[in-house]
C-alpha cells in the first residue's frame, strides 16, 4: 500500500474523530448543566422526508451514522472570499459504522467529486427534483439538503443510515473566537486569493475568520487538490481539540456552556438525535470505542473515463465494502483499494 493511501486514511481518521468527539463531548457535558440548549438543535424527520423506500434494517448489524460537514456561504460565512461559488455544499461526508457490540467503528469517506445517481428528491424550494445520473456528490446537498444526501447514500450503498449529524462549519468561527483562537504551524506559506487566507511560514494563532479560511483553502497548497484541504482540516481540528483540552474547557460549567452553545447552534440531526438527552445517550453508548482502533477507509474510486476531474465508485471494491457494512463484517483488504489513488503523486 502506498504512502499516499496511508496518509489519506490517517487524515480521514482524525477528521472523523475530531468532529464526533468534539460534538459528543461538548454536548454531553452541556446537557447535564444546560438543558435549555435543546431548542438550538435543528431536527429532520427522515421517515417523513424520505418515505419507506429505504434499505432494510438488519437488527444485529450495528448502527450507521452519516456525518456531513456543510460549507455554507451564508450567514457567518458571508464575509469570506469564496470565489464564484455560492450556496452550500456537503464539504465532508463520512459513513461511520458502529459494530453491534458498540466497541468498534469504521468510517468511510465519500469524496466530494464522486459522480453519483441522485434519487428523486424534494428541492429546498419545495419543488420535486427528478432522479439524475452523473451528478457530483457534494451538489446534492446544495440542491435538496441533508435528507436527499441521506437518501443518495442509502441508494448507492444499500446501507440504512440510522442517524445523521450535519455540522455547519460557520459555527466554528464563533467557537474559535470564544476560546481565544487556535494555534497552528504551517511548513510553507499559504496565499490563497479564493479563500482569502494569507499566512507566512511559521506559527500563527488564528481567529474565527482565519480558521474558516484555513479549513477551506486548497488553491494555495500542494497541487490544489482536495487532499491538501483535507490535511489542513485535520491539522486545524486536532489543534482545536488540543486547545479545548489545554484550557480544560469541558471541566468548567461556564466554559462548557459556551462551547455547547456554539456547537448546538451549528448542528442539524435526524429527529432521533435532535435533543441533548438523546445525543448524550448516544455518546455514552459508544464510549467503549477505542479511537486508536478506529479504521477509516476512503470509498474505492477510479477516475471517470469521460471527465478525469471526477471520480466514480470502483467496482467490485465498492460493492464489497458496502456489503461488509450491511452485514457488520470485517472489511476485506481488497475492498479498500482505490484505483484512482494507486500511484498518485498528490
Amino acid at each position: 500500500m502506498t504512502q499516499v493511501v496511508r496518509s489519506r486514511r490517517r487524515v480521514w481518521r482524525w477528521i472523523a474523530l475530531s468532529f464526533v468527539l468534539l460534538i459528543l463531548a461538548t454536548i454531553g457535558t452541556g446537557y447535564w448543566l444546560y438543558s435549555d440548549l435543546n431548542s438550538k438543535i435543528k431536527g429532520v424527520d427522515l421517515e417523513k422526508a424520505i418515505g419507506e423506500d429505504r434499505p432494510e434494517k438488519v437488527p444485529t448489524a450495528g448502527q450507521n451514522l452519516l456525518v456531513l460537514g456543510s460549507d455554507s456561504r451564508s450567514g457567518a460565512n458571508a464575509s469570506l472570499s469564496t470565489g464564484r461559488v455560492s450556496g452550500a455544499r456537503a464539504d465532508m461526508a463520512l459513513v461511520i459504522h458502529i459494530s453491534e457490540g458498540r466497541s468498534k467503528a469504521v468510517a468511510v469517506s465519500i469524496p466530494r467529486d464522486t459522480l453519483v445517481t441522485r434519487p428523486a428528491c424534494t428541492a429546498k424550494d419545495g419543488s420535486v427534483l427528478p432522479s439524475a445520473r452523473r451528478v457530483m456528490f457534494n451538489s446534492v446537498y446544495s440542491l435538496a439538503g441533508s435528507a436527499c444526501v441521506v437518501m443518495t447514500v442509502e441508494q448507492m450503498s444499500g446501507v440504512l443510515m440510522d442517524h445523521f449529524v450535519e455540522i455547519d462549519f460557520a459555527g466554528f468561527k464563533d467557537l474559535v473566537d470564544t476560546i481565544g483562537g487556535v494555534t497552528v504551524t504551517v511548513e510553507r506559506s499559504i496565499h490563497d486569493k479564493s479563500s482569502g487566507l494569507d499566512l507566512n511560514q511559521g506559527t500563527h494563532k488564528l481567529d474565527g475568520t482565519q480558521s474558516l479560511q484555513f479549513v477551506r483553502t486548497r488553491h494555495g497548497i500542494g497541487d490544489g487538490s482536495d487532499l491538501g484541504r483535507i490535511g489542513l482540516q485535520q491539522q486545524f481540528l486536532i489543534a482545536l481539540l488540543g486547545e479545548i483540552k489545554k484550557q480544560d474547557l469541558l471541566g468548567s460549567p461556564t466554559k462548557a456552556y459556551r462551547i455547547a452553545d456554539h456547537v448546538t447552534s451549528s448542528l442539524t440531526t435526524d429527529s432521533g438525535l435532535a435533543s441533548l438527552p438523546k445525543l448524550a445517550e448516544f455518546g455514552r453508548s459508544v464510549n467503549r470505542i477505542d479511537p486508536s482502533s478506529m479504521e477509516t477507509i476512503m470509498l474505492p474510486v477510479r477516475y471517470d473515463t469521460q471527465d478525469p476531474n471526477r471520480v466514480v465508485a470502483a467496482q467490485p471494491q465498492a460493492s464489497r465494502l458496502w456489503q461488509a457494512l450491511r452485514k457488520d463484517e470485517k472489511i476485506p483488504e481488497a475492498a479498500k483499494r482505490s484505483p484512482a489513488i494507486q500511484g498518485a503523486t498528490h
Side-chain angles (χ1 to χ4, degrees):
M1 182 178 297
T2 67
Q3 180 64 32
V4 173
V5 177
R6 289 193 294 269
S7 175
R8 215 177 262 261
R9 289 185 181 177
R10 285 195 296 270
V11 166
W12 278 110
R13 176 180 293 117
W14 281 108
I15 288 177
L17 291 177
S18 296
F19 272 110
V20 174
L21 291 178
L22 177 62
I23 292 168
L24 295 181
T26 56
I27 291 178
T29 302
Y31 160 62
W32 295 111
L33 301 170
Y34 302 100
S35 59
D36 62 311
L37 294 176
N38 266 330
S39 61
K40 293 190 175 184
I41 302 176
K42 298 176 284 293
V44 174
D45 187 339
L46 290 182
E47 294 297 332
K48 181 179 179 180
I50 298 178
E52 299 181 355
D53 186 18
R54 305 184 67 186
E56 181 181 358
K57 173 64 178 176
V58 180
T60 59
Q63 294 232 333
N64 299 292
L65 172 71
L66 179 64
V67 179
L68 301 176
S70 166
D71 67 341
S72 172
R73 265 73 172 184
S74 61
N77 288 339
S79 62
L80 291 177
S81 172
T82 56
R84 298 180 180 178
V85 180
S86 61
R89 299 263 192 296
D91 212 35
M92 181 197 75
L94 288 164
V95 174
I96 300 180
H97 174 74
I98 303 165
S99 67
E100 177 63 19
R102 301 294 180 97
S103 60
K104 297 180 181 179
V106 58
V108 178
S109 65
I110 302 175
R112 52 177 287 171
D113 292 341
T114 305
L115 295 178
V116 299
T117 296
R118 186 193 67 221
C121 295
T122 302
K124 291 183 177 180
D125 62 4
S127 62
V128 176
L129 282 175
S131 176
R133 299 181 61 190
R134 293 180 57 80
V135 300
M136 209 161 76
F137 177 73
N138 75 331
S139 71
V140 177
Y141 177 85
S142 63
L143 290 173
S146 51
C148 193
V149 178
V150 173
M151 193 173 182
T152 300
V153 172
E154 288 187 342
Q155 291 203 9
M156 70 185 287
S157 67
V159 177
L160 178 74
M161 296 297 111
D162 297 282
H163 299 292
F164 89 91
V165 174
E166 177 191 334
I167 308 117
D168 182 355
F169 286 165
F172 285 104
K173 177 182 182 298
D174 290 338
L175 173 61
V176 172
D177 287 334
T178 297
I179 67 177
V182 173
T183 301
V184 299
T185 299
V186 294
E187 297 180 357
R188 298 180 180 179
S189 298
I190 303 175
H191 306 292
D192 186 354
K193 293 181 180 180
S194 180
S195 70
L197 184 65
D198 190 7
L199 295 178
N200 291 322
Q201 179 183 11
T203 300
H204 305 268
K205 192 163 191 176
L206 307 182
D207 62 19
T209 298
Q210 291 172 316
S211 296
L212 280 172
Q213 294 171 334
F214 190 81
V215 300
R216 278 192 175 152
T217 194
R218 67 170 177 166
H219 298 293
I221 55 172
D223 64 354
S225 72
D226 269 342
L227 182 58
R229 170 161 50 187
I230 291 170
L232 290 183
Q233 290 175 354
Q234 169 229 2
Q235 180 185 357
F236 173 77
L237 291 171
I238 292 173
L240 173 62
L241 288 173
E243 189 66 33
I244 290 174
K245 182 178 180 180
K246 183 175 72 174
Q247 295 188 30
D248 191 26
L249 297 178
L250 301 183
S252 163
T254 302
K255 293 177 180 178
Y257 171 79
R258 288 190 338 220
I259 295 175
D261 185 32
H262 290 303
V263 173
T264 53
S265 298
S266 306
L267 197 64
T268 301
T269 74
D270 64 281
S271 54
L273 289 181
S275 72
L276 289 171
K278 292 177 181 177
L279 279 167
E281 181 183 358
F282 184 80
R284 290 192 299 272
S285 74
V286 297
N287 63 5
R288 293 174 53 200
I289 297 174
D290 179 5
S292 64
S293 68
M294 183 175 177
E295 184 178 18
T296 305
I297 302 166
M298 182 186 217
L299 173 68
V301 293
R302 60 173 175 80
Y303 291 117
D304 181 54
T305 56
Q306 299 179 42
D307 185 351
N309 295 314
R310 301 288 178 259
V311 295
V312 295
Q315 298 297 347
Q317 296 96 322
S319 293
R320 291 173 179 171
L321 169 63
W322 296 129
Q323 182 180 23
L325 293 191
R326 285 194 297 271
K327 295 183 177 181
D328 198 22
E329 296 176 345
K330 181 178 176 59
I331 299 172
E333 287 299 319
K336 305 174 186 178
R337 296 172 186 159
S338 188
I341 59 174
Q342 294 299 317
T345 59
H346 57 269

